[in-house]
Every structure is written in C-alpha cells, then in structure tokens.
Amino acid sequence: MLQEILIPVAILGGLGLFFGLCLSYASKKFGVKVDERIGKVRDVLPGANCGACGFTGCDGYAEAVVSGNADINKCTVGGRDVMVSIGEILGKDTSTSSVECKVGRVMCGADNGKTRTKYDYSGIKDCTAATALYGGPTACMYGCIGMGDCAKACPFGAIVVERGVARVLAAKCKGCGKCVEVCPRNIIKIVPKEKQYTVRCNNPQRGNFVMKVCKVGCIGCRKCSKVCEAGAITNDGFVARINPELCTNCGKCMEVCPNHVINKYPVCSDEGPAAVNE
Amino acid sequence: MFVKKSFSGGVEVPHFKNTENIQTEKIGVPDEVIIPMQQHSGAPCKPTVKEGEPVKVGQVIGISESFISAPIHSSVSGTVADISSMIFPDGRYVATVVIKADGKQDIHEDVKPPICTNKEEFIEAVKNSGLVGLGGAGFPAHVKLNPPKDKNIDTLIINAAECEPFITSDYREIMENSADIMDGIDAVTKFIGVSNVIIGIEDNKPEAISLLKKLAAGKKGIDVKALRTRYPQGAEKMLIYALTGRKVPPGKLPMDVGVIVMNITSVGFVGRYLKDGMPLIKKRVTVDGSAVNRPSNVEALIGTKLSDVFDFCGGFKTEPFKIIMGGPMMGIAQYTLDAPVMKYTNALLAFDKTFGNVPPETACIRCGRCYRACPVNLMPLHINRAALVEDMDALHKYHTMDCIECGCCAYSCPARIPLVQSIRLGKTLIKKAQAKAKKDESQKDVKS
C-alpha cells in the first residue's frame, strides 16, 4: 500500500529534480546578461513613452543611457529629479548638468474672425480630414485649422483649442513633439522654455497675399530682423523666424512688429501670450 | 424567373434624370479659359507655353515625361494670359494655363486625322488625343488600352451604366453620337485585338438600349446587356462582376481578369478622333439641381469657368447652398465658381438649402445598414471608429484600402455619419504610416 504511493512520488520527484538541474544548467550556460541598471533606470523614468528623448520610448532610452549612448539629461518629462535619480544609479555627477526644458509653440495667432474662411466645413472634426478637401477650410494655407489633432495626440493634455486656434499650456507641456508629427499644417515648433518670443505666423507668402487672407499674419517687412542685435531673426520667404539658440529675450522685435505677430510668452505658466493680438 | 444582371450590396437611389430628353447645347467661346495641367490620374503635366504666347485650338500646351499621364491641349485660340496655380480638391496646387480667347477659334496645323495601321500607331494616336477615362476617374486611356504582354485580354466592356442620379451626359452621347460610338468600338476591337464586346447599360434607359441593340445587331461580337438599375452599377468592379461573373481581386486592375473597361463617351471620342483628329478639348456636361434655372446638357470647352456654364443655363433660381462637380454620390463640392470644367467633368449640380443640406450627425445605432449597402463587403462602421481613434491595426484588419468610395454606406446611414470621409481619413493615415516606415527604413540604411 505504502509502496503504491512512494513509487510515483519518487518517480515524479526524480523527474522534477532532473529537469530542475537541466534548467538551472541551461540558464547558466545560455543566459543573456542584462545590466540590472537598465531596469532601475526604467523604473525611475516617467513611462510616458513620448519619445522626446529621441529614442523609442522609455525602454529605449534606459538601454541607451546605461550603455553610454545617451546623456542622462534627455528626459524632459521627468526633468531634474529624474536626471538626478539616473545619475545616482549610474554613479555620475549631476551637479553641473541640467535638463533643457522645452515647450511647443503654435505658430499661428489667427483666432476667430482674424482669418477668412474659404467654405463652410461640415464633416468629421479632424484637421487631417479637413485638409483633404481643398487644403482645409481656412483661406490661409499655413494657419491653424483648429480641429484639435494636436490636442488629441498630446499625451499630457497640454493643448487646448480656444477660439479656433490651438494653444499650448506651457506648465503641462513637456516638449515631446507628438503634436508636431500630427499637425497637417506643420505649425507647431518645439523651443527651449526660457525663450519667450515667438513669431505667431507660418505663412511664407508675400505680404499682399498674407493680408488678403489674415489680419494678423507676418508680412515679411523685416523690421524685426533689422532691430535684432543678436542676429537671431532671419526671413524664410516672407515670414520671420527666430533662432532660439541666438535669441537673448530682449523683446525689441515685439515692439517694432507692425502686425503684432511676435508675441511674448511667460515662462512656465498656463497663460497665453502676454500681449494678445488686438 | 428572369433576373437582371447585378451585384450584391449597393443602394436604390432616386434617378432624377431630368435632362435626358434635352438636346445638347453648345456653349460659345468664353472670354477666358483656365486649363489645369492635371486632368487625369497620374503625373501632372508641365506647361509648354509661355505668358504672352499665341495659341491655337488643339495645340499642345502641357506634356509630361511620365508614362501614366495625358497631354493637355488648348481649347481656344488666343494668347496665354497667365501661368498660375490653382488648388485641387486634394489640397495640392497644380499649375494652370489661363488663356484669353480671341473668339476666332483658329485650328492648329497639327490637328489632322491620325493614320493608324497597327496597334502601336493606334495607342500613340490615343495618347496624342489626350483622352482620359471620361466616366469620372480620368485614367489615361492609352495606358488602359496597352496592358502588359502577359495579360490576356479577351473582353472589352463599354460602361454605359451611368448609375449616379441626375447625370445624363453619357445617355445623350448614345442618343446623339451612336455612329461615333460604333466606329470607336470597331477601332478598339480591331487594333487591340479583342473579339468580345459587352455594352453594359442600366435598364432605366430603354430607348438607348433599343438603339444600341439595333446598331449592334449587324455586328458580330457586340452584346448589349441591360443591367438592374442599382447604384453603383457603373463602378468598374461591380460592372465586371455583373456582366462576366469575374471578380477583380483587391488592389488589382480589370486587366488582371482579362477585361478592359471603357466609358461609352470615351469610345465615342475615339471614333470621332480617328475621323477629324481634334483632340479632347470639349466635354458634355449635365447641369442640373434644384437651384438651376434651366437644367440642360451643355457642351463646354475644357477650361470654361463654372460661372460661365451656370450663366448659360439661366443662372440660379435661388441662392445655391451646395455646388457639386460630378454626381451627387461621388462628386466633390466646389467652393468657388472660378473653377474650370475639366476633361472628366460629367455633371455640375447646384442645390438649394432644402435639397443640399445634410441633417446633423447623430450617434451610431449599430443597425448595420452600411454593411449591407457596401458593394465590396466592408464594414464601414468599424473603419469609421478605427480612423477616428487612429487604430492602425484595426484599419488594416478591416481592409480600409479596398474601399471604392462609392458613398453607399453614408447614403444609407440613418445617423448621417460621414462614413466615406472617415474612411478616406483612414486611407490617409495608412499612407502616412507607410511613408513614415519607408523614411525610417532609409534612415536606418544610412546609419548602418
């Protein structure tokens, strides 16, 4: 009676022992060495998978930063705290480096009534779908359509559409660039947060064409580029572009702009541009 | 029981063939014509004329090196006033040649009947004529008539279904130019080497059917078949299935099942072109709709502004709410009357507010009418949802790219959801993703 129980137990136990030894040998012999720091770095990253660092999500960045292919200050979503944590894990000095905070800026200021419309649009509320019909209902082919593809794409809820134009809430924006990818008009630009001045127009056509379609468009008069002491403003076609690397935040361009196209944005707050077009 | 040839799915639409018994009228030479450099599917043409240059009727003013393209001819004599660009429905800017007409209509010396003795010469002649598919898609005819050698073509289908409401321009072509149509069929069958010809025509045009049957009676191999009146009977794939029972697989062309499909107006043009050598410079257009004073069929020179066409038809009864180029099911709404009549324009419809306004969209009640209406057996409701939330896996799963954009789903939807628009959005998303994948791939290659 006892034998009938003991024999199967012994057989199964023996088999279990045998396979266990096989598996432990295999894991030693064929095991892939994973740097345990990758897991740790991955745990401190915010997990938004936004791609602002330039890698495929947080896993990609963790791998790159541990293997030394990326700097530790690339995660703009986590900011300084995350950089310090990564530095601790990797044993790197974090006192001198800082995270460059970036923010999206919408290069169009033509809210309700300031731009002409070509036709009354009826259909699904989606910028990409609207541009498929004669390039969109706005008369300006370079301006914001205001149906909120960017707001839909934003993983942080940092974009709202107000009075027909998208607006970035600077406090929430992490500068990941998801909105830049989806905008069919390509009017969102990622700039460093501390640079306060932005040209709110993207229409490179001549001034007379711009004035035909919009009251607040850049006419390419070049007053701003002449007054800029840092030489940060260049004209791309007939639209002014501020190079954020050279801009010194002096604000002279805003003062001379006849159409009030250059606007000042407060640093890191949800307010819109300080000077609203009137 | 005798069952008329047809396909599965589709919708019954009201016919509204108000203009079918109205003789075609010719619009005179307008002061100015606007001729876009793309009036076909494929590569756009480059203008060969300069500003201030005199041009004559039938002179080539735009050509392209590309194989899938068709040359563009001047429809008037006069001088080139401007070379500008106009915006196309898909949002692209296309170069246009604006010609000030002098009203003399001097014919260019190159316009003479082509000499065709073999297939190559015939294809070349069709190419030089600038012919594109006149049913509405505008596919260059010389490409269609010249399939690769390994495709065995045995049937020529002449599409006279004209399944969209309102449009009667093909019907008028049959009633007015039946001799040209027969000559065209003879030429195509002789040079392309197809023995079997089927003319497919919807059974709401009994007079045209009896006329074509009478003309075809004396000829061998030409078969006139009446089709059930059901939209979209004239869609290429539906028509092939209804007439031959062959199914064109998704992503394939009619030539893959041994068929060439030509519109009846295109065939009529081939017959005429071989006789007088005048390239494609005019088009019969049905002008109709609840806002038009005098609905009629007009023959307009290509490049005539829509405002000139509507003025010729007595202007508007009431303020037009929606103006559509093409049929009410697949046509594209216009936002300006400065747009020109193009090679493949077959109708101009203007509707007032009671007729043209679509009630606001409500929530989907999952009735499944769009499934039943779809002639290619798609599930528009699911594609709609996938496109709106950018679910790429679902867009592929529901075969978004197979949609023929006939509009049956949106027509039958009781919630008035713009299904075709969201399916088109889905197609755009797929194409965008493919382009991005390609770009990433090429960047990877550069890096490694």
Side-chain angles (χ1 to χ4, degrees), chain A residues 118 121 123-124 132-134 141, chain B residues 87 89-91 93 333-335 421:
Chain A
K118 271 194 292 206
Y121 177 80
I124 49 179
L133 187 64
Y134 297 104
M141 290 294 285
Chain B
I87 187 163
D90 56 2
Y93 278 100
Q334 305 287 310
Y335 73 93
Q421 200 194 7

Side-chain angles (χ1 to χ4, degrees), chain A residues 118-119 121-124 126 128-135 141 149 152 181-182, chain B residues 87-91 93 322 332-335 361 388 418 421-422 425 428 432 436:
Chain A
K118 271 194 292 206
Y119 55 84
Y121 177 80
S122 65
I124 49 179
D126 187 290
T128 314
T131 42
L133 187 64
Y134 297 104
M141 290 294 285
D149 275 19
K152 258 190 268 171
E181 276 173 37
V182 297
Chain B
I87 187 163
F88 258 51
D90 56 2
Y93 278 100
K322 196 169 257 181
I332 291 169
Q334 305 287 310
Y335 73 93
E361 181 185 338
L388 293 180
Q421 200 194 7
S422 47
L425 172 67
T428 316
K432 223 165 132 183
K436 201 182 164 213

